[in-house]
Amino acid sequence: MISEPELVDGDGFVVSEVLTETPPPGPPGPPRARRPWLWALGGAVVASAVWAGGLYAYEKRQDQGPDMRGYKSTASLCEAAELKGLVGVLGKRSTDSGWDSSSQGGSDSGVDSGSVGGAEGAEPSVLEIAQCSLMFGPPETGYSGDVTYTRHLVTDPGPEFDALARRYGEVEPYEGLGEKAYLSVYDNMGAELRVLDGQVEISISFNETSGWNEDTDEPTRQTKRVDLSGVEVPLAQDMLALMAALKR
């Protein structure tokens, strides 16, 4: 229906809104059938994306290698291992010597280097080993000490750790250090503390030393023993300090 125009102040006309009759809407038609292959295609795309994301995450983990828990390579283990606790018991450190190497293929032959990989063109290393040898007290009458730091770059050292810790006799578990730790105290002759923490093994040990000059029939070196009762406390303190230093 069209409405009549209206007169405004006698000057002109303003056309009103034009209305038209619209037929009432009919009943809704049936819903359109969804195409099953579109849903199947969408599911395949989502599955492929999930699979690709999982593969990427797996490959990324593989590329990064085992989790070292923050333990880093060291250029000088003797500097990292201050051993203040043992110094207080056994005497001042002297005649430090050390080496760092990366061993390939699990063998003992290593390249004198503090980096992983060894010589150019060599196979990737599976071990990274650093060692420090030292004396506590005077060289002629003191104790010899040894610190070893091994990073296992491929395999898990856990299954072999127990056997290696017991290779020289009885050991006792020591709580509060890494995943697992073993302590050995050999009367007043020496002691050893070994720690496993993830892919890393650390050991601190000391022993009495002796030597004999057959020509003069006199000792050339003989340790002057000290009381080692309670030595596990400073030994554990030194281990904790070394573990922290190797993560810096």
Side-chain angles (χ1 to χ4, degrees), residues 145-226:
D146 188 79
V147 183
T148 304
Y149 173 47
T150 304
R151 298 198 327 149
H152 295 259
L153 306 177
V154 177
T155 59
D156 178 12
E160 299 177 354
F161 180 73
D162 293 350
L164 291 173
R166 291 187 172 92
R167 72 193 186 282
Y168 293 134
E170 295 296 326
V171 297
E172 296 181 1
Y174 196 92
E175 301 295 332
L177 293 172
E179 287 183 24
K180 190 181 295 186
Y182 287 112
L183 171 70
S184 301
V185 179
Y186 315 114
D187 296 327
N188 267 356
M189 296 184 295
E192 180 182 38
L193 181 60
R194 296 179 59 87
V195 171
L196 173 68
D197 197 10
Q199 296 289 123
V200 167
E201 289 183 86
I202 308 171
S203 69
I204 301 175
S205 64
F206 65 92
N207 292 279
E208 66 176 12
T209 60
S210 61
W212 198 265
N213 189 325
E214 295 182 357
D215 295 333
T216 61
D217 198 26
E218 293 179 351
T220 57
R221 174 185 292 177
Q222 187 170 7
T223 297
K224 183 179 180 181
R225 292 185 177 181
V226 299

Side-chain angles (χ1 to χ4, degrees), residues 54 141 158 163 177 246-247:
T141 59
L177 293 172
L246 292 172
K247 293 182 179 182

